[in-house]
Amino acid sequence: MTTPPLEAASPHVMPTYGRLPIAFERGEGVWLWDVNGKKYLDSLAGVAVNTLGHAHPEFVAALREQVGRLIHTSNYFHVTLQEQLAARLTALSGLTNAFFCSTGLEANEAMIKIARKFGHDKGITRPKIVVYEHAFHGRSLATLSATGNPKVQAGFGPLVEGFVRVPINDIAAIKQITQDDPDVVAVMFEVIQGEGGIHEMQAQYLRELRALCDERGWLMLIDEVQTGIARTGKWFGFQWAGIQPDVISLAKGLGSGVPVGAVLAGPAAAGVFKPGNHGSTFGGNPLAMRAGVETLRIIEQSGLLANASAIGEHIRTRVRQELEGTAGFVEVRGQGLLIGIELAHSCGDLMGLAAEAGLLLSVTADRVVRLVPPLIITQAEADQLVGILVPLIQRFLAAKSA
């Protein structure tokens, strides 16, 4: 690779990331340039964060104006932009109230706390939450305990108690596992498991799960950190199944690169937190709220929900057509611009090989190439993406078969 091994020159940074030796200097649209001037097509988008791509002119102008006006005050005071963003998010989701934080981890922690307090308020002293195999909800002690990945949990025991794990898309299993447990108060899941390999919850299963929650008085908590904010072609992933959750968590794409997290709650859960039960120093600050307001406005005005659906389908169709019959290709799946290409072999090396070819992507669940490009990507750019990626995968799989 043309970029020098940067980590060797950064001994003061904790070695928590297995970084590629690349540093970026600037971006425009779906493109990034590194410090050596090399150009990359960004199909990673900061891991589904940069909704509007890089240096979107309207977004940049709005943030510049806001920085010159007000960045942070405190939640001791009213924040007008919080009210604006909360009103828009609740209108889009069908929920009623919003809490703002800065990250998806914080949002998921807040959901867990809501569920626990919901249980305590009903007299359940050790409330439990149903979670799923292969789920990913974060890396704090509570969220990694809810996560279904032993690698994430390794070395951090004892785990937080209170989670009951079940397989996805198996309504009989969840009924059987929880039938004699009166301490279950909620179920928490991703409609598409992002870190787990782009595995989708089936619409019929979600409708049956909603009915089960209603029957047993459970809260339905949906982690929309990766699927929310138009990523799947609807504002929220749960909307594909026609269900209404009680609480959802948001982050990643909500601020188009500015850290923003949110929890949206409906009538069953919106009143659980009282003053002093929860908070966030940076959550809901004016800059982050402006980023959220502008992100939603630009998505709507630019037709990016329809674009996510159309371009995502185009990419999946082309990849499927070009790789069909290739030894080692399993399938391509996903919704909108959340796409997973599963191979029969561990393929972590593809991340570096793709970067050498000028394409940014990630590999998740060991064998799944993940594509989460900015929602502004055009069909021509999508064709460039496929034109780089498919030959890479073909060469990679041919070498594995040799």
Side-chain angles (χ1 to χ4, degrees):
M1 300 177 72
T2 58
T3 311
L6 297 169
E7 284 189 303
S10 304
H12 305 298
V13 177
M14 281 191 181
T16 53
Y17 303 103
R19 291 183 166 121
L20 294 180
I22 302 169
F24 296 108
E25 186 174 59
R26 66 184 180 92
E28 182 178 343
V30 300
W31 300 96
L32 283 166
W33 286 262
D34 70 19
V35 294
N36 294 323
K38 182 176 177 178
K39 184 179 180 181
Y40 303 78
L41 199 166
D42 184 6
S43 66
L44 182 58
V47 194
V49 165
N50 296 309
T51 300
L52 305 177
H54 304 280
H56 189 288
E58 291 182 58
F59 188 66
V60 168
L63 292 191
R64 282 176 174 160
E65 192 274 338
Q66 187 62 45
V67 167
R69 180 188 295 268
L70 196 62
I71 295 176
H72 180 81
T73 53
S74 167
N75 284 306
Y76 286 143
F77 313 104
H78 288 278
V79 180
T80 304
L81 283 163
Q82 277 191 30
E83 297 297 329
Q84 292 180 27
L85 186 55
R88 190 74 188 112
L89 287 171
T90 53
L92 292 171
S93 65
L95 297 167
T96 59
N97 294 79
F99 167 82
F100 293 107
C101 49
S102 300
T103 67
L105 182 154
E106 290 177 78
N108 285 335
E109 282 275 347
M111 285 211 303
I112 291 168
K113 287 180 67 176
I114 286 172
R116 285 191 166 196
K117 190 167 187 303
F118 174 80
H120 280 280
D121 289 348
K122 297 196 326 183
I124 299 171
T125 58
R126 301 177 80 86
K128 298 177 183 177
I129 301 170
V130 175
V131 292
Y132 286 81
E133 295 174 358
H134 309 299
F136 182 87
H137 298 295
R139 295 178 184 274
S140 67
L141 283 175
T143 56
L144 71 82
S145 299
T147 289
N149 184 340
K151 291 181 180 179
V152 172
Q153 297 168 339
F156 298 106
L159 299 180
V160 174
E161 66 173 35
F163 297 103
V164 179
R165 198 165 306 281
V166 300
I168 69 168
N169 295 322
D170 188 340
I171 199 68
I174 188 173
K175 287 179 178 179
Q176 180 180 4
I177 290 168
T178 62
Q179 65 181 349
D180 297 320
D181 195 339
D183 292 335
V184 172
V185 298
V187 57
M188 179 178 179
F189 60 91
E190 308 149 273
V191 287
I192 302 176
Q193 294 182 330
E195 296 295 327
I198 321 299
H199 292 288
E200 303 171 60
M201 294 281 202
Q202 297 166 358
Q204 181 59 31
Y205 175 80
L206 293 176
R207 289 189 283 268
E208 292 173 347
L209 185 59
R210 177 68 267 183
L212 183 64
C213 288
D214 292 338
E215 175 189 322
R216 299 195 179 177
W218 298 347
L219 293 180
M220 176 178 275
L221 318 174
I222 303 185
D223 177 345
E224 291 267 3
V225 169
Q226 196 159 154
T227 53
I229 314 302
R231 171 60 54 187
T232 68
K234 288 188 182 291
W235 283 109
F236 310 101
F238 72 80
Q239 292 173 328
W240 288 101
I243 60 171
Q244 186 63 55
D246 297 300
V247 191
I248 68 172
S249 58
L250 299 170
K252 286 193 180 288
L254 179 55
S256 297
V258 176
V260 188
V263 176
L264 308 182
V272 170
F273 280 162
K274 301 295 190 294
N277 285 153
H278 198 59
S280 172
T281 296
F282 293 102
N285 69 75
L287 178 62
M289 297 297 93
R290 183 69 181 273
V293 167
E294 297 296 334
T295 295
L296 298 184
R297 179 186 66 80
I298 294 169
I299 287 173
E300 191 163 39
Q301 292 184 359
S302 302
L304 296 186
L305 285 98
N307 193 65
S309 284
I311 302 301
E313 180 61 28
H314 179 73
I315 292 171
R316 288 192 299 276
T317 298
R318 280 207 57 196
V319 169
R320 188 178 296 113
Q321 289 173 343
E322 297 192 29
L323 290 179
E324 192 170 12
T326 301
F329 168 65
V330 177
E331 66 174 348
V332 58
R333 54 182 178 259
Q335 188 80 47
L337 287 170
L338 177 54
I339 300 168
I341 305 165
E342 184 172 353
L343 308 180
H345 308 280
S346 297
C347 59
D349 290 346
L350 276 173
M351 190 170 176
L353 293 171
E356 289 179 0
L359 177 65
L360 303 179
L361 51 78
S362 67
V363 170
T364 187
D366 190 48
R367 298 186 292 115
V368 180
V369 175
R370 175 172 51 182
L371 305 176
V372 281
L375 304 192
I376 60 167
I377 189 171
T378 66
Q379 184 166 317
E381 290 162 340
D383 286 334
Q384 287 179 271
L385 188 165
V386 175
I388 299 170
L389 178 60
V390 166
L392 272 176
I393 291 176
Q394 290 171 331
R395 289 195 296 271
F396 174 81
L397 292 176
K400 290 292 183 180
S401 300

Coordinates of all heavy atoms in Angstrom, one line a residue, residues 100-156:
F100 N -32.1 12.3 24.3 CA -30.9 12.4 23.4 C -29.6 12.1 24.2 O -29.5 12.6 25.3 CB -30.9 13.8 22.8 CG -32.0 14.0 21.8 CD1 -33.1 14.8 22.1 CD2 -32.0 13.3 20.6 CE1 -34.1 15.0 21.2 CE2 -33.0 13.5 19.7 CZ -34.1 14.4 20.0
C101 N -28.8 11.4 23.5 CA -27.4 11.1 24.1 C -26.4 11.3 22.9 O -26.7 12.1 22.0 CB -27.4 9.7 24.7 SG -28.0 8.4 23.6
S102 N -25.3 10.7 23.0 CA -24.3 10.9 22.0 C -23.9 9.7 21.1 O -23.3 9.9 20.1 CB -23.0 11.5 22.6 OG -23.3 12.7 23.3
T103 N -24.2 8.5 21.6 CA -23.8 7.3 20.9 C -24.9 6.2 20.9 O -25.8 6.3 21.7 CB -22.5 6.7 21.5 OG1 -22.8 6.2 22.8 CG2 -21.4 7.7 21.6
G104 N -24.7 5.2 20.1 CA -25.6 4.1 20.1 C -25.5 3.2 21.3 O -26.5 2.7 21.8
L105 N -24.3 3.1 21.8 CA -24.1 2.4 23.1 C -24.9 3.1 24.2 O -25.6 2.4 25.0 CB -22.6 2.4 23.5 CG -22.2 1.7 24.7 CD1 -20.7 1.2 24.6 CD2 -22.3 2.6 26.0
E106 N -24.8 4.4 24.3 CA -25.6 5.1 25.3 C -27.1 4.9 25.1 O -27.8 4.7 26.1 CB -25.3 6.6 25.3 CG -23.9 7.0 25.7 CD -23.7 8.5 25.5 OE1 -24.2 9.3 26.4 OE2 -23.1 8.9 24.6
A107 N -27.5 4.9 23.9 CA -28.9 4.7 23.6 C -29.4 3.4 24.0 O -30.5 3.2 24.6 CB -29.2 5.0 22.1
N108 N -28.6 2.3 23.8 CA -28.9 1.0 24.2 C -28.9 0.8 25.7 O -29.7 0.1 26.2 CB -28.0 0.0 23.4 CG -28.4 -0.2 22.0 OD1 -29.6 0.0 21.6 ND2 -27.5 -0.6 21.2
E109 N -27.9 1.4 26.3 CA -27.9 1.4 27.8 C -29.2 2.0 28.4 O -29.8 1.5 29.3 CB -26.7 2.2 28.3 CG -25.4 1.5 28.2 CD -25.1 0.6 29.4 OE1 -25.8 0.7 30.5 OE2 -24.2 -0.2 29.4
A110 N -29.6 3.1 27.8 CA -30.9 3.8 28.2 C -32.1 2.8 28.0 O -32.9 2.8 28.9 CB -31.1 5.1 27.5
M111 N -32.1 2.1 26.9 CA -33.2 1.2 26.7 C -33.2 0.1 27.7 O -34.3 -0.3 28.3 CB -33.1 0.5 25.3 CG -33.5 1.4 24.2 SD -34.3 0.5 22.8 CE -32.9 -0.6 22.3
I112 N -32.0 -0.4 28.1 CA -31.9 -1.5 29.1 C -32.4 -0.9 30.4 O -33.2 -1.6 31.2 CB -30.5 -2.0 29.2 CG1 -30.1 -2.8 27.9 CG2 -30.3 -2.9 30.4 CD1 -28.6 -3.1 27.8
K113 N -32.0 0.3 30.8 CA -32.5 0.9 32.0 C -34.0 1.1 32.1 O -34.6 0.9 33.1 CB -31.7 2.2 32.3 CG -30.2 2.1 32.7 CD -29.6 3.4 32.9 CE -30.1 4.1 34.1 NZ -29.3 5.4 34.4
I114 N -34.5 1.5 30.9 CA -36.0 1.7 30.9 C -36.7 0.4 31.1 O -37.6 0.3 31.9 CB -36.4 2.3 29.5 CG1 -36.0 3.7 29.4 CG2 -37.9 2.1 29.3 CD1 -36.2 4.3 28.0
A115 N -36.2 -0.7 30.5 CA -36.8 -2.0 30.7 C -36.7 -2.4 32.2 O -37.7 -3.0 32.8 CB -36.2 -3.0 29.8
R116 N -35.5 -2.2 32.8 CA -35.4 -2.7 34.2 C -36.3 -1.9 35.1 O -36.9 -2.4 36.0 CB -33.9 -2.5 34.6 CG -33.0 -3.6 34.0 CD -31.6 -3.6 34.6 NE -30.9 -4.8 34.3 CZ -29.8 -5.3 34.9 NH1 -29.4 -4.6 35.9 NH2 -29.2 -6.4 34.6
K117 N -36.3 -0.6 34.9 CA -37.2 0.3 35.8 C -38.6 -0.1 35.5 O -39.4 -0.1 36.5 CB -36.9 1.7 35.6 CG -37.6 2.6 36.7 CD -37.1 4.0 36.7 CE -37.7 4.7 37.9 NZ -39.2 4.7 37.9
F118 N -39.0 -0.3 34.3 CA -40.3 -0.8 34.0 C -40.7 -2.0 34.8 O -41.8 -2.1 35.4 CB -40.4 -1.1 32.5 CG -41.7 -1.7 32.0 CD1 -42.8 -0.9 31.8 CD2 -41.8 -3.1 31.7 CE1 -44.0 -1.5 31.3 CE2 -43.0 -3.6 31.3 CZ -44.1 -2.8 31.0
G119 N -39.8 -3.0 34.9 CA -40.0 -4.2 35.7 C -40.1 -3.9 37.2 O -41.0 -4.4 37.9
H120 N -39.1 -3.0 37.7 CA -39.1 -2.7 39.1 C -40.4 -2.0 39.5 O -41.0 -2.2 40.5 CB -37.9 -1.8 39.4 CG -36.7 -2.6 39.6 ND1 -36.4 -3.2 40.8 CD2 -35.6 -2.8 38.8 CE1 -35.2 -3.8 40.7 NE2 -34.7 -3.6 39.5
D121 N -40.9 -1.1 38.6 CA -42.2 -0.4 38.8 C -43.4 -1.4 38.9 O -44.4 -1.0 39.5 CB -42.4 0.6 37.8 CG -41.5 1.8 37.8 OD1 -40.8 2.0 38.8 OD2 -41.4 2.6 36.9
K122 N -43.2 -2.6 38.4 CA -44.3 -3.6 38.4 C -44.0 -4.6 39.6 O -44.7 -5.6 39.7 CB -44.4 -4.3 37.1 CG -44.8 -3.5 36.0 CD -45.3 -4.2 34.7 CE -44.7 -5.5 34.4 NZ -45.2 -6.1 33.1
G123 N -43.0 -4.3 40.4 CA -42.7 -5.2 41.5 C -41.8 -6.3 41.2 O -41.6 -7.2 42.0
I124 N -41.1 -6.3 40.1 CA -40.2 -7.4 39.7 C -38.8 -7.0 40.1 O -38.2 -6.0 39.6 CB -40.2 -7.7 38.2 CG1 -41.6 -8.2 37.8 CG2 -39.2 -8.7 37.8 CD1 -41.9 -8.3 36.3
T125 N -38.2 -7.6 41.1 CA -36.9 -7.2 41.6 C -35.7 -7.5 40.8 O -34.7 -6.9 40.9 CB -36.7 -7.8 43.1 OG1 -36.8 -9.2 43.0 CG2 -37.8 -7.3 44.0
R126 N -35.8 -8.6 40.0 CA -34.7 -9.0 39.1 C -35.2 -9.2 37.7 O -35.2 -10.3 37.2 CB -34.0 -10.3 39.6 CG -33.5 -10.2 41.1 CD -32.9 -11.5 41.5 NE -31.6 -11.7 41.0 CZ -30.5 -11.2 41.6 NH1 -30.6 -10.5 42.7 NH2 -29.3 -11.5 41.1
P127 N -35.5 -8.0 37.0 CA -36.1 -8.1 35.7 C -35.1 -8.6 34.7 O -33.9 -8.4 34.8 CB -36.5 -6.7 35.4 CG -35.7 -5.8 36.3 CD -35.4 -6.7 37.5
K128 N -35.7 -9.3 33.7 CA -34.9 -9.9 32.6 C -35.3 -9.4 31.2 O -36.5 -9.1 31.0 CB -35.0 -11.5 32.6 CG -34.5 -12.1 33.9 CD -34.7 -13.6 33.9 CE -34.3 -14.3 35.2 NZ -34.6 -15.7 35.2
I129 N -34.4 -9.4 30.3 CA -34.6 -9.0 28.9 C -34.3 -10.1 28.0 O -33.1 -10.6 28.1 CB -33.8 -7.7 28.6 CG1 -34.2 -6.6 29.6 CG2 -34.1 -7.3 27.1 CD1 -33.3 -5.3 29.4
V130 N -35.1 -10.4 27.1 CA -34.8 -11.4 26.0 C -33.9 -10.8 25.0 O -34.3 -9.7 24.5 CB -36.1 -12.0 25.4 CG1 -35.7 -12.9 24.2 CG2 -37.0 -12.7 26.4
V131 N -32.8 -11.4 24.6 CA -31.9 -10.9 23.6 C -31.6 -12.1 22.7 O -32.1 -13.2 22.9 CB -30.6 -10.3 24.2 CG1 -30.9 -9.0 24.9 CG2 -29.9 -11.3 25.1
Y132 N -30.8 -11.8 21.6 CA -30.7 -12.8 20.5 C -29.3 -13.3 20.3 O -28.3 -12.6 20.5 CB -31.3 -12.2 19.2 CG -32.8 -12.2 19.3 CD1 -33.5 -11.2 20.0 CD2 -33.6 -13.2 18.7 CE1 -34.9 -11.2 20.1 CE2 -35.0 -13.3 18.8 CZ -35.6 -12.2 19.5 OH -37.0 -12.2 19.6
E133 N -29.2 -14.5 19.8 CA -27.9 -15.0 19.3 C -27.4 -14.1 18.2 O -28.2 -13.7 17.3 CB -28.1 -16.5 18.8 CG -28.5 -17.5 19.9 CD -28.9 -18.8 19.3 OE1 -28.8 -19.0 18.1 OE2 -29.2 -19.7 20.1
H134 N -26.1 -13.9 18.2 CA -25.4 -13.1 17.2 C -25.7 -11.6 17.2 O -25.3 -10.9 16.3 CB -25.7 -13.7 15.8 CG -25.4 -15.1 15.7 ND1 -24.2 -15.7 15.9 CD2 -26.3 -16.1 15.4 CE1 -24.3 -17.0 15.7 NE2 -25.6 -17.3 15.4
A135 N -26.5 -11.1 18.2 CA -26.8 -9.7 18.3 C -25.5 -8.9 18.7 O -24.6 -9.4 19.2 CB -27.8 -9.5 19.4
F136 N -25.6 -7.6 18.4 CA -24.5 -6.7 18.8 C -25.2 -5.4 19.3 O -25.9 -4.8 18.5 CB -23.5 -6.4 17.7 CG -22.4 -5.5 18.2 CD1 -21.3 -6.0 18.9 CD2 -22.5 -4.1 18.1 CE1 -20.3 -5.2 19.3 CE2 -21.5 -3.3 18.6 CZ -20.4 -3.8 19.2
H137 N -25.0 -5.0 20.6 CA -25.6 -3.8 21.1 C -24.6 -2.9 21.7 O -25.0 -1.8 22.2 CB -26.7 -4.2 22.2 CG -27.8 -5.1 21.6 ND1 -28.7 -4.6 20.7 CD2 -28.1 -6.4 21.9 CE1 -29.6 -5.5 20.4 NE2 -29.3 -6.6 21.1
G138 N -23.3 -3.2 21.7 CA -22.4 -2.2 22.2 C -21.3 -2.9 23.1 O -21.3 -4.2 23.2
R139 N -20.4 -2.1 23.6 CA -19.2 -2.7 24.3 C -19.1 -2.2 25.8 O -18.1 -2.4 26.4 CB -18.0 -2.3 23.6 CG -17.9 -2.9 22.2 CD -16.6 -2.5 21.5 NE -16.6 -3.0 20.1 CZ -16.1 -4.2 19.8 NH1 -15.6 -5.0 20.7 NH2 -16.1 -4.6 18.5
S140 N -20.1 -1.6 26.3 CA -20.2 -1.3 27.8 C -20.5 -2.7 28.5 O -20.9 -3.6 27.8 CB -21.2 -0.3 28.1 OG -22.5 -0.8 27.9
L141 N -20.4 -2.7 29.8 CA -20.6 -4.0 30.4 C -22.0 -4.5 30.2 O -22.3 -5.7 30.0 CB -20.3 -3.9 31.9 CG -18.8 -3.9 32.3 CD1 -18.6 -3.7 33.7 CD2 -18.2 -5.2 31.8
A142 N -23.0 -3.6 30.3 CA -24.4 -4.1 30.1 C -24.7 -4.4 28.6 O -25.2 -5.5 28.3 CB -25.4 -3.0 30.5
T143 N -24.2 -3.6 27.7 CA -24.5 -3.9 26.3 C -23.7 -5.1 25.7 O -24.2 -5.8 24.9 CB -24.3 -2.6 25.4 OG1 -23.0 -2.1 25.5 CG2 -25.3 -1.5 25.8
L144 N -22.5 -5.3 26.2 CA -21.8 -6.5 25.7 C -22.4 -7.7 26.3 O -22.3 -8.8 25.7 CB -20.3 -6.3 26.0 CG -19.7 -6.4 27.4 CD1 -19.5 -7.9 27.8 CD2 -18.3 -5.8 27.4
S145 N -23.0 -7.6 27.5 CA -23.7 -8.7 28.1 C -24.9 -9.1 27.2 O -25.3 -10.3 27.1 CB -24.1 -8.5 29.5 OG -22.9 -8.2 30.3
A146 N -25.6 -8.1 26.7 CA -26.7 -8.3 25.8 C -26.3 -8.8 24.4 O -27.1 -9.4 23.7 CB -27.5 -7.0 25.7
T147 N -25.1 -8.5 24.1 CA -24.5 -8.9 22.8 C -24.3 -10.4 22.7 O -24.0 -11.0 23.7 CB -23.2 -8.1 22.5 OG1 -23.5 -6.8 22.3 CG2 -22.4 -8.7 21.4
G148 N -24.5 -11.0 21.5 CA -24.4 -12.4 21.4 C -23.1 -12.8 20.7 O -23.1 -13.7 19.8
N149 N -22.0 -12.2 21.1 CA -20.7 -12.5 20.5 C -19.7 -12.8 21.6 O -19.2 -11.9 22.3 CB -20.2 -11.4 19.7 CG -19.0 -11.6 18.9 OD1 -18.2 -12.5 19.2 ND2 -18.7 -10.9 17.8
P150 N -19.3 -14.1 21.8 CA -18.3 -14.4 22.9 C -17.0 -13.7 22.7 O -16.3 -13.4 23.7 CB -18.1 -15.9 22.7 CG -19.4 -16.4 22.0 CD -19.8 -15.3 21.1
K151 N -16.6 -13.3 21.5 CA -15.3 -12.6 21.3 C -15.4 -11.2 21.9 O -14.4 -10.7 22.5 CB -15.0 -12.5 19.8 CG -14.6 -13.8 19.2 CD -14.3 -13.6 17.7 CE -13.9 -14.9 17.0 NZ -13.6 -14.8 15.6
V152 N -16.5 -10.5 21.8 CA -16.7 -9.2 22.4 C -16.7 -9.3 24.0 O -16.2 -8.4 24.7 CB -18.0 -8.6 21.9 CG1 -18.3 -7.3 22.7 CG2 -17.9 -8.3 20.4
Q153 N -17.2 -10.4 24.5 CA -17.4 -10.6 25.9 C -16.1 -11.1 26.6 O -15.9 -10.9 27.8 CB -18.5 -11.6 26.2 CG -19.9 -11.1 25.7 CD -20.9 -12.2 25.7 OE1 -20.6 -13.4 25.7 NE2 -22.2 -11.8 25.7
A154 N -15.2 -11.7 25.8 CA -14.1 -12.4 26.4 C -13.2 -11.4 27.2 O -12.8 -10.4 26.7 CB -13.3 -13.1 25.3
G155 N -12.9 -11.8 28.4 CA -12.0 -11.0 29.3 C -12.6 -10.0 30.1 O -12.0 -9.2 30.8
F156 N -14.0 -9.9 30.0 CA -14.7 -8.8 30.7 C -15.7 -9.3 31.7 O -16.6 -8.6 32.2 CB -15.3 -7.8 29.7 CG -14.3 -7.2 28.8 CD1 -14.2 -7.5 27.5 CD2 -13.5 -6.2 29.3 CE1 -13.2 -6.9 26.7 CE2 -12.5 -5.6 28.5 CZ -12.4 -6.0 27.2

